[in-house]
Amino acid sequence: MKVDIISIFPDYFAPLGLSLVGKARTTGTLDLAVHDLRTWTHDVHRTVDDSPYGGGPGMVMRPEPWGQALEAVAGPGATLVVPSPVGKPFTQADAYELAALDHLVFACGRYEGIDQRVIDDAADRMPVREVSLGDYVLFGGEVAVIVIMEAITRLLPGVLGNADSLTEESHAAGLLEAPVYTKPAAWRDREVPDVLRSGDHGRIARWRRTESLLRTAARRPDLFAAYPPEHLDKQDRKA
Ligand SMILES: CC(C)N1CCN(Cc2ccc(Cn3ccc4ccc(-c5n[nH]c(N)c5C#N)cc43)cc2)CC1
């Protein structure tokens, strides 16, 4: 997968050189490049923002640098992803969809956002997805891109050592995972649930399923309500 990130803070993406995302880049699974938007400014001050038409707080990112940057970076087959406070909530389903694409270009806005004409102009040439991480306001799109890139990269072939992890997620799609434990068996007078040490894989699967349903019902009633009733068996209904 090819990914290009455009930002006025390219150093923000140093974390994408670490751990499993960094390894995906080293192995060639992920071809990631970060570009400084100011590359496409031509004034002595390398200006990327200006005051908003119609008044209002803050500044808006100028269209000219963005237009040139996207022409240079987003070739045929690219999909533009624009983090935004007013974007569509980003979900695991979006991560799967984006992970299946060949070329992503991320536009990281700052200030009060990017001039709308940049998005509209790009949409004439390529698919554009405006996404939001959640209902809170960040300083810009960079942190969102780091989060989205982690969510996507772990879905790429060969990145997760234990493919089962993805399998587990796919089976229990729509529910929160059960609690996890590791050694020692006792820690600060807290014991690992006996069932997890029983070696009885049927019991363990049942325990995890029940914990997953209870946790989802308690913390995410929205997910629980949307979970297809036909996916609940008799044991589930006793939980
Ligand atoms: C009511 C309400 C929905 N409104 C909201 C937006 N407020 C104005 C305003 C304020 C700050 C910024 C900073 N900023 C610049 C580019 C940019 C990209 C993403 C995000 C971002 N914030 N939160 C997320 N989940 C994001 C994502 N993904 C923030 C960004 C941009 C815009 C006004 C209030």
Side-chain angles (χ1 to χ4, degrees):
M1 164 176 264
K2 180 169 170 61
V3 174
D4 289 283
I5 303 172
I6 306 168
S7 166
I8 60 172
F9 295 117
D11 293 346
Y12 236 97
F13 299 97
L16 296 183
L18 305 174
S19 187
L20 293 178
V21 177
K23 184 179 174 189
R25 296 173 72 180
T26 306
T27 59
T29 301
L30 176 61
D31 169 12
L32 187 144
V34 180
H35 310 271
D36 185 341
L37 177 68
R38 295 187 197 274
T39 303
W40 291 279
T41 61
H42 309 293
D43 63 301
V44 67
H45 298 297
R46 314 199 75 184
T47 310
V48 293
D49 64 308
D50 205 333
S51 53
Y53 272 119
M59 303 291 273
V60 173
M61 300 194 93
R62 295 171 53 230
E64 299 95 329
W66 277 111
Q68 292 172 32
L70 292 176
E71 278 164 3
V73 170
T79 293
L80 179 62
V81 182
V82 186
S84 164
V86 296
K88 172 186 174 295
F90 183 77
T91 66
Q92 187 67 13
D94 296 314
Y96 274 106
E97 288 174 23
L98 293 181
L101 299 178
D102 293 326
H103 184 196
L104 300 179
V105 176
F106 287 95
C108 296
R110 279 272 156 167
Y111 309 102
E112 295 297 308
I114 301 171
D115 186 300
Q116 183 60 41
R117 291 169 292 181
V118 173
I119 313 299
D120 298 343
D121 176 67
D124 285 347
R125 297 193 304 280
M126 70 194 87
V128 177
R129 298 173 75 135
E130 287 188 78
V131 298
S132 169
L133 287 194
D135 292 335
Y136 41 83
V137 184
L138 303 171
F139 281 119
E142 286 81 5
V143 166
V145 170
I146 291 173
V147 169
I148 292 167
M149 275 310 302
E150 274 221 8
I152 289 171
T153 304
R154 62 191 302 279
L155 302 178
L156 297 179
V159 171
L160 272 191
N162 174 0
D164 286 347
S165 300
L166 280 182
T167 308
E168 282 302 307
E169 283 175 2
S170 60
H171 285 329
L175 294 177
L176 302 184
E177 282 76 27
V180 291
Y181 299 85
T182 187
K183 294 187 283 297
W187 177 72
R188 294 187 181 180
D189 295 333
R190 297 177 189 276
E191 305 273 339
V192 171
D194 288 338
V195 63
L196 296 180
R197 303 175 64 212
S198 69
D200 181 336
H201 296 295
R203 279 186 63 211
I204 291 168
R206 172 52 55 189
W207 181 86
R208 284 177 169 158
R209 172 72 171 180
T210 300
E211 289 297 313
S212 171
L213 287 165
L214 292 173
R215 190 178 249 193
T216 305
R219 297 180 185 182
R220 291 292 305 274
D222 57 315
L223 289 181
F224 192 73
Y227 192 68
E230 62 271 19
H231 288 187
L232 297 171
D233 63 25
K234 273 188 279 187
Q235 288 288 337
D236 292 336
R237 297 178 195 282
K238 289 179 186 171

